[in-house]
Amino acid sequence: MTLLEELKWRGFINQTTFKDPSVLNKQKFTFYFGVDPSADSMQVGNLAAAMMVRHFIDYGHKAILLVGGATGMIGDPDGKDEERQLKSLEEVAKNKAGISAQYRTIFNDKEFDLVDNYDWFKDLGYLNFLRDIGKHFSMTQLLDREFIKSRIGKGGKGISYAEFSYSLIQGYDFLHLFRKKGATLQLCGADQWGNSITGVDLIRKLEGAEAHVWSTPLVINKSTGKKFGKTEGGAVWLDPKKTSIFDFYQFWLNADDEGVFDYLKVFTLLPKDEILHVIEQFKADKPGRLAQKTLAYEVTKLVHGEAAAIEAKKATEDLFKGGENVPTVSVETGRINVAELLIKANLAKSRSEAQRLLAQGGVKLNQQKVDQDEITIAEGDLLQVGKRRFVRIK
């Protein structure tokens, strides 16, 4: 299978500047893909685009992965109906570290160049930027974009000069990476198409050279029609401190029947014939949920490692082996002493036993090891001691 065939089959084609996309099969590109550190972790939505990047790498294209330390200080206004709150330098630095670590996990056995656009913006003079870059950026294209019209039109909440400049800042990233590292292709999500085109225009005007963009569509939950990756509790994060490994596994295990085929193609590295085989078996026995089980295991393995995926799978099997007969404990939600909770849940006979279990790392809440004397609990949380003893918080 060629790269283009792979991208088509998996659903990674939205818009592109290539007149003949088959060039991807004939020529090796140096491309870049960026994420702004608006949080210290990527979400499932970011993972979809990152999986597209992984296929480009697997087919021999050279990757530059950018963490937007500079753009993250401003914030992308696209899709926002009001001004973002600026983040402190300390918060941006913390977020950059978190996202960089996740890049290394997802692409752990692949070569890539990790860069931060703060490194080339921090010493760039304002007047020089206006003269050398801003002079070549047409405002007409930006003013025609729908989110700008909605912000500055009647009833809009306005837009600051900082956010208005975001597209030019990102466009300069492409120009800089073209000049310094030979990048001639930007990969992005569908929502970044306009910002990416800015870079193509700057390279054409200032360098007289050709550059391209390839975007992937947003993944939509077919059963709800909404953007995939959200739950009632909010976003699904790759960081286990924000979304526990157990909850991460459960999210994929609960994928809708209608969309699970697409999710297997987008979010796993399983080959086409294996995915088709899984789907064939799934259609023959939907209650068995083989597609969802395969999806949950493969994505958890990719993001958190094989050991974590095996443990989450085993915990799920142990938990649901008895159907609805999983023990529960009724307590007030909120902060609670762990020893008292273990005793009340019949997971420890005494305070000393509870403290010993805690000290040995044998207590988990939603598959995350508990290492504090007090924890915050909520309805539906899963308390665990050892490998096979579970109690659901009620």
Side-chain angles (χ1 to χ4, degrees), residues 32 169-179 183-186 196 199-200 203 211-213:
Y32 99 91
I169 295 172
Q170 191 185 116
Y172 181 73
D173 286 341
F174 200 173
L175 176 65
H176 176 86
L177 292 173
F178 171 85
R179 288 171 168 172
T184 55
L185 173 63
Q186 180 176 355
S196 302
V200 171
I203 291 169
H212 292 280
V213 178

Side-chain angles (χ1 to χ4, degrees), residues 111-216:
E111 288 188 10
F112 60 87
D113 193 358
L114 185 64
V115 299
D116 177 359
N117 60 9
Y118 182 73
D119 290 338
W120 54 84
F121 270 105
K122 67 178 186 290
D123 297 321
L124 188 62
Y126 179 67
L127 291 179
N128 289 336
F129 184 71
L130 289 181
R131 285 178 60 87
D132 298 339
I133 308 301
K135 190 68 175 175
H136 302 277
F137 178 62
S138 172
M139 298 298 294
T140 305
Q141 179 186 341
L142 189 56
L143 289 168
D144 283 341
R145 292 172 67 178
E146 288 302 319
F147 82 92
I148 293 289
K149 290 180 180 179
S150 66
R151 291 275 289 269
I152 64 177
K154 186 176 181 181
K157 296 186 178 180
I159 185 169
S160 68
Y161 178 72
E163 286 197 1
F164 196 71
S165 304
Y166 182 92
S167 187
L168 179 58
I169 295 172
Q170 191 185 116
Y172 181 73
D173 286 341
F174 200 173
L175 176 65
H176 176 86
L177 292 173
F178 171 85
R179 288 171 168 172
K180 300 297 183 181
K181 295 181 179 290
T184 55
L185 173 63
Q186 180 176 355
L187 304 187
C188 65
D191 57 339
Q192 290 298 309
W193 174 258
N195 292 333
S196 302
I197 291 297
T198 298
V200 171
D201 290 343
L202 286 176
I203 291 169
R204 176 176 52 82
K205 290 176 181 177
L206 290 169
E207 300 295 328
E210 189 177 277
H212 292 280
V213 178
W214 184 282
S215 73
T216 184

Side-chain angles (χ1 to χ4, degrees), residues 228-292:
F228 183 77
K230 301 287 186 181
T231 66
E232 290 183 5
V236 178
W237 301 90
L238 306 194
D239 186 342
K241 294 178 182 177
K242 290 178 173 289
T243 298
S244 73
I245 296 173
F246 182 80
D247 285 343
F248 187 81
Y249 186 92
Q250 296 303 311
F251 168 77
W252 299 101
L253 194 61
N254 292 323
D256 57 293
D257 287 353
E258 191 178 356
V260 70
F261 184 32
D262 289 341
Y263 308 149
L264 280 166
K265 291 189 290 184
V266 170
F267 293 103
T268 80
L269 294 171
L270 293 176
K272 180 179 179 179
D273 57 350
E274 193 169 337
I275 291 176
L276 291 176
H277 180 65
V278 168
I279 292 299
E280 184 181 352
Q281 291 182 286
F282 167 68
K283 288 180 177 178
D285 178 25
K286 286 194 174 181
R289 299 182 68 76
L290 177 63
Q292 283 88 347

